[in-house]
Amino acid sequence: MKSLYLLVNFFTVIVPFVFSFHPKLKFNKEFKYFFLANFLVAFTFITSDIFFTKLEVWGFNPEYVTGLYLVNLPIEEVLFFICIPFACVFTYHCLNLFIKPSWKPQTENIIILSLSIPLLVTGILFIDKLYTSFTFISLGILLLLFKYVLKLDWLPKLLGMYAILLIPFFIVNGILTGTWIDNPVVWYNNDENLGIRLMTIPVEDVFYGFELILLNVCLYEYFKSNRLKTRK
């Protein structure tokens, strides 16, 4: 099914896009901030994706893509870095409207340190595994930077939201990694990861996905805050 990956992207983004224009949500008013943020993040991830694909850290099954490529990436993989963040930042926007989660500083410290330190240690211990080391070390550093240097106050909201998003995450990534189909859309070289699978999903994908959303939300919030400062 040549259109499978394309359809995964489409059905991921279509409902959030339509509801962006709902008068109570008005996410369409935030499009310029999202797309500016997403362009910068997507460019970074696509560049690294081209590099990892060339090194055969992962690759793509031609049975499930349309055959249009950007360098060595199927166009569907490029769209992935737009569609998935759009749906996630839309969800983040909606939760901000209706829910105001907050943690005590001690709780937030425990959670951030409990995530970042094991990520850094594991990334260093498995430095020879490119997907593991790159994802774990970079995410561990970002969490510490955002919490203790930039002191961003929306991290609890994002962590709580990502816990909810893990449900659609397992559906989408399950399809892409072959849980419900004969062969995976995206295959992984186990020499470059821990070899631990959640269903058919490499455990690294959970953290890679979070890093993708983390950076999109970070720049989205940055551009929004600059808008508010300008208005004042």
Side-chain angles (χ1 to χ4, degrees), residues 45-186:
F45 273 76
I46 290 167
T47 301
S48 65
D49 200 345
I50 290 170
F51 177 68
F52 287 156
T53 302
K54 184 177 181 180
L55 295 179
E56 298 187 344
V57 174
W58 54 59
F60 307 93
N61 190 334
E63 294 180 9
Y64 297 118
V65 296
T66 56
L68 297 174
Y69 284 79
L70 175 67
V71 190
N72 56 358
L73 299 184
I75 195 65
E76 294 87 346
E77 177 76 351
V78 175
L79 292 173
F80 176 91
F81 293 108
I82 302 170
C83 295
I84 299 300
F86 183 93
C88 292
V89 176
F90 168 80
T91 304
Y92 173 83
H93 169 81
C94 293
L95 289 177
N96 271 340
L97 293 177
F98 303 110
I99 303 173
K100 303 295 182 183
S102 61
W103 297 338
K104 293 180 179 179
Q106 299 89 335
T107 303
E108 189 175 346
N109 283 332
I110 291 171
I111 291 175
I112 295 299
L113 291 174
S114 297
L115 282 171
S116 57
I117 293 176
L119 285 170
L120 289 170
V121 171
T122 305
I124 292 169
L125 289 176
F126 292 92
I127 197 69
D128 60 322
K129 295 182 179 294
L130 187 55
Y131 188 24
T132 304
S133 59
F134 177 85
T135 301
F136 284 15
I137 292 174
S138 60
L139 179 55
I141 291 172
L142 283 176
L143 287 171
L144 294 174
L145 174 67
F146 287 178
K147 167 61 181 171
Y148 297 107
V149 179
L150 300 181
K151 302 184 186 301
L152 301 177
D153 60 2
W154 45 260
L155 274 177
K157 290 185 289 187
L158 183 61
L159 286 165
M161 182 204 74
Y162 194 65
I164 297 170
L165 288 176
L166 283 175
I167 298 171
F169 165 86
F170 278 107
I171 296 173
V172 170
N173 268 42
I175 294 171
L176 295 180
T177 56
T179 296
W180 297 286
I181 56 180
D182 294 335
N183 297 299
V185 178
V186 183

Side-chain angles (χ1 to χ4, degrees), residues 184-205:
V185 178
V186 183
W187 55 262
Y188 292 82
N189 178 359
N190 280 339
D191 290 337
E192 303 293 350
N193 61 60
L194 294 175
I196 300 172
R197 301 279 176 141
L198 308 173
M199 299 188 298
T200 54
I201 304 167
V203 69
E204 287 85 354
D205 273 13

